[in-house]
Amino acid sequence: MAEQTYGTGLLKGLSVTLKTMLRPAITQAYPHVKPDLPPRSRGVIALKEANCTVCYKCSRECPDWCIYIDAHKETHDPAGGGRARSAKVLDRFAIDYALCMYCGICVEVCPFDALFWSPEFEYAEYDIDGMTHERERLEEWTYTVLPPPELEQGAVAGPEAELTP
């Protein structure tokens, strides 16, 4: 039988602590130094209001029911005869980020690319009621949306790439 020496576990633990203590720290000074986020990181959902046709697909598909949309119909007289056309006009588009689980289903089901992932992540509020962001704030985040990454070498563009100008 091998002879048992007492204190070897303590010595191993102290050696690990000493090695870690002698290495330089890799902590970022967050408020002063912004983190370098990956290009496809999920921050908040941004709204491009000009693309929204008020189809309600995003709010219907949301598993948390955190998207609130209000709209009304307006009838426009025809320019050169014919019958009048009606169009939905967006009154309110809000997302309650206190309920949102950031699944991205709303971004995926939007048929007109009105919703995007923005890398913006600093949107904390002191009150939970302030976590419901209205369309003006969602529109501001649209300007922080990054362009899609370039295709990897040898990759073939899908059919949706041909539709964009």
Side-chain angles (χ1 to χ4, degrees):
M1 275 188 153
E3 195 173 310
Q4 221 177 9
T5 56
Y6 294 102
T8 56
L10 178 65
L11 290 175
K12 285 182 183 178
L14 287 175
S15 69
V16 170
T17 304
L18 186 62
K19 285 179 192 174
T20 306
M21 207 168 61
L22 296 177
R23 277 193 228 143
I26 56 169
T27 306
Q28 292 181 346
Y30 163 64
H32 307 293
V33 179
K34 301 293 182 192
D36 186 24
L37 298 173
R40 296 183 60 166
S41 61
R42 293 182 176 188
V44 293
I45 298 166
L47 169 71
K48 186 171 184 181
E49 190 175 341
N51 290 358
C52 184
T53 60
V54 195
C55 66
Y56 297 100
K57 279 191 176 183
C58 55
S59 65
R60 282 190 309 226
E61 296 295 326
C62 179
D64 293 328
W65 292 87
C66 63
I67 300 175
Y68 310 112
I69 301 174
D70 292 328
H72 69 277
K73 282 190 175 183
E74 286 184 357
T75 305
H76 301 286
D77 294 327
R83 47 178 229 188
R85 301 278 179 177
S86 66
K88 292 180 188 173
V89 178
L90 187 64
D91 293 330
R92 179 179 187 223
F93 192 103
I95 299 177
D96 187 353
Y97 287 104
L99 296 176
C100 183
M101 66 178 175
Y102 304 93
C103 63
I105 293 174
C106 57
V107 177
E108 295 295 323
V109 300
C110 183
F112 299 102
D113 289 334
L115 297 174
F116 299 93
W117 281 112
S118 169
E120 187 68 34
F121 63 93
E122 297 175 318
Y123 57 95
E125 299 288 338
Y126 289 106
D127 187 19
I128 196 164
D129 294 331
M131 290 298 290
T132 302
H133 296 294
E134 299 293 331
R135 67 180 182 185
E136 293 82 18
R137 181 89 186 262
L138 300 175
E139 183 82 26
E140 289 173 13
W141 286 328
T142 304
Y143 303 112
T144 63
V145 174
L146 300 173
E150 296 293 322
L151 289 176
E152 293 180 4
Q153 188 174 6
V156 179
E160 65 273 356
E162 296 171 6
L163 299 175
T164 55

